[in-house]
Every structure is written in C-alpha cells, then in structure tokens.
Amino acid sequence: MPFADMREFVKKLDEAGELARVKKEVDPKFEVGAICKTIHDRGRQALLFEKVRGCSMPVATELLGTFKRIAIAIDAEGTDLFTEVMERTKKSIEPTVVSDGPCKEVILKGKDVDLDRMPWITWNKTEKAPYITAGLVIVKDPDYGRNLGVYRMMYANKNQTFLRLSPGHHGYEYYKNAEFRGAKKLDVAVVIGSEGEGMSRLVREKCDLLAAIPLKGQLASLNASVAAGIVLYEAVRQRATPLAPPAG
C-alpha cells in the first residue's frame, strides 16, 4: 500500500502539481459542484476544499480523475496502466484482519451518531437532497462472501441514509439474496476517506456475480480499511426503507 492514509495521498498529489486548494469558505449546496464542474472543464485538477460551510471536515474531489492520478494512487507507471492493473489482479490475496486501527480511534454509537457532522454535498439543482458520492460500500453475505463497490448515499437524517443498490450491480444481488433468505437486514460498512489505492480498487473491479472481489496482490485488501478517515457501519433494512430514487 503506497500511502498510509488519505492525507498522504493528497500530499503526494499536491507535490505532483495535481491538486488545487480552495481556501475560501464554500457552500456545500451547489457551490462545491459548480467549482468542480468549472475546474473539470478547464484542466481536471483534483480539488481540496479546506472550508465547507457548516462542517469542520474538508472535502476532496476528482482524486482519481485522470490516469496519472490513478497511477500515483497505486504506485505504478502511467505508460500502460491497463496492463499494469490486469497483471496485479492475477495476484489476489485475502484480507488481513486486524483488531484495531485509526478508523477506531473515535467510535460513536446509538444516540451519539450524527451524520450532520459530515460534509454532505448537493451537487446540482436536479438533486433533491445532499449526497456522499464516493464511499466504498462493503457488503457481506453468508453465501456470496464480501463485495466492494461505490453506491451513492443520499442524506435522510442524522442517523440514516438511503443507499442506492441498483439492479445490475452486485450490491443489489446481495440485497435480494438477503431478502430471499428472509433476513431482516443486510450488514454494510461504508469507508469514507480511504487512501488513494483503496479508492482505486474500483477502477479495475474483476469478479463473478456470486463471488467477492478478488483484491490483488501488492495492494492491500479490507473488511473495512483501517486507514479510513470514517467507517459507517450500517444495516440496510429489508423492505423497511425505500431505495433512493435516481437523482433528478
């Protein structure tokens, strides 16, 4: 794993000239999205919003927006990134499960859980609520094993989100299998603020429908990444809460 955490990855992007810092306070409703769109059209730099109104946490965007930044994330040469990634997927390894890590330095449970402490972004006027768009969603099933994917989360209230598990994606199959078994919930962990390599796992997903993603050698696997800034442990209730509708 080339970076211990998100901070190291962002620092590396900064040193490589791949990061622009937005020091002025920004509004999480529309303004962050508008700036991202403008910068994307002009040069596609990664962005670090240092002051987001109503939240003490910064927001980083476009971290894997170019092949160069993906190469930096996985500590690879950018000349033939596709071949490099395919070679690494041949060296699958099982996760190393540990009992502790940075993601457990602060643990909030029950009434102490407050999702309002996080920077929820309303990206554009077609969206009806704020979202977190790039959490690494890990689902676990006794038949299928583990799976990791990115599913948008729409804000509902201080301790509840809508998780969009769409048909045609592995998370949806896990959800339907839990429903078929008669389970009342599906266990989910959402990793937010993973190191760059952790996020880049999704650019080379390679798995069968009924198998967990084989996470490649030389790059660490996870149950929930110990290097994560935030890990949300959730239960997706069967039939109790609707799936989030498509934005717009």
Side-chain angles (χ1 to χ4, degrees):
M1 186 166 63
F3 305 103
D5 55 27
M6 172 70 80
R7 293 179 182 86
E8 283 194 6
F9 179 50
V10 169
K11 181 181 178 181
K12 181 65 175 180
L13 293 182
D14 201 3
E15 293 171 349
E18 289 288 315
L19 181 77
R21 294 176 178 269
V22 180
K23 298 181 180 296
K24 180 183 176 182
E25 184 181 78
V26 294
D27 193 326
K29 187 172 183 178
F30 303 149
E31 188 174 14
V32 170
I35 294 172
C36 288
K37 179 64 166 62
T38 300
I39 297 300
H40 180 88
D41 291 343
R42 291 181 180 178
R44 302 190 68 176
Q45 276 186 297
L47 295 172
L48 180 63
F49 296 91
E50 297 183 352
K51 297 179 182 179
V52 180
R53 187 172 301 160
C55 185
S56 62
M57 301 180 191
V59 171
T61 68
E62 292 274 359
L63 295 180
L64 299 175
T66 64
F67 288 129
K68 180 179 179 180
R69 292 203 285 274
I70 294 172
I72 292 173
I74 65 174
D75 193 23
E77 297 293 333
T79 53
D80 191 356
L81 190 58
F82 179 81
T83 299
E84 176 72 17
V85 169
M86 290 299 99
E87 285 299 314
R88 294 193 188 195
T89 60
K90 297 176 182 178
K91 302 174 183 178
S92 301
I93 58 174
E94 283 300 309
T96 298
V97 180
V98 296
S99 60
D100 204 1
C103 66
K104 289 189 175 182
E105 289 176 359
V106 177
I107 299 177
L108 302 176
K109 297 180 179 180
K111 294 181 180 180
D112 293 328
V113 173
D114 186 3
L115 297 178
D116 290 330
R117 297 172 63 182
M118 298 171 58
W120 293 85
I121 309 299
T122 306
W123 295 96
N124 58 66
K125 65 181 181 180
T126 66
E127 296 184 330
K128 307 305 180 185
Y131 282 82
I132 287 178
T133 61
L136 304 185
V137 178
I138 304 162
V139 291
K140 188 176 181 180
D141 182 271
D143 299 322
Y144 296 169
R146 292 182 306 277
N147 187 263
L148 183 152
V150 171
Y151 302 95
R152 299 190 81 199
M153 295 188 299
M154 187 176 79
Y155 178 86
N157 54 55
K158 68 184 292 291
N159 60 6
Q160 185 182 41
T161 71
F162 294 98
L163 183 62
R164 188 184 181 194
L165 301 177
S166 304
H169 295 272
H170 296 102
Y172 178 81
E173 298 302 327
Y174 277 60
Y175 178 88
K176 296 303 290 185
N177 194 49
E179 188 176 57
F180 177 78
R181 295 197 316 271
K184 295 183 180 295
K185 64 180 183 180
L186 174 66
D187 291 329
V188 173
V190 182
V191 178
I192 300 171
S194 175
E195 79 293 346
E197 183 275 311
M199 294 183 295
S200 66
R201 293 184 186 107
L202 280 304
V203 306
R204 47 101 214 112
E205 177 178 343
K206 178 190 176 189
C207 59
D208 296 325
L209 179 60
L210 304 185
I213 290 179
L215 300 169
K216 71 281 187 209
Q218 304 175 13
L219 301 178
S221 180
L222 60 93
N223 278 350
S225 172
V226 296
I230 301 171
V231 177
L232 305 179
Y233 291 98
E234 305 182 87
V236 177
R237 301 291 176 179
Q238 298 292 337
R239 299 185 182 279
T241 54
L243 300 179

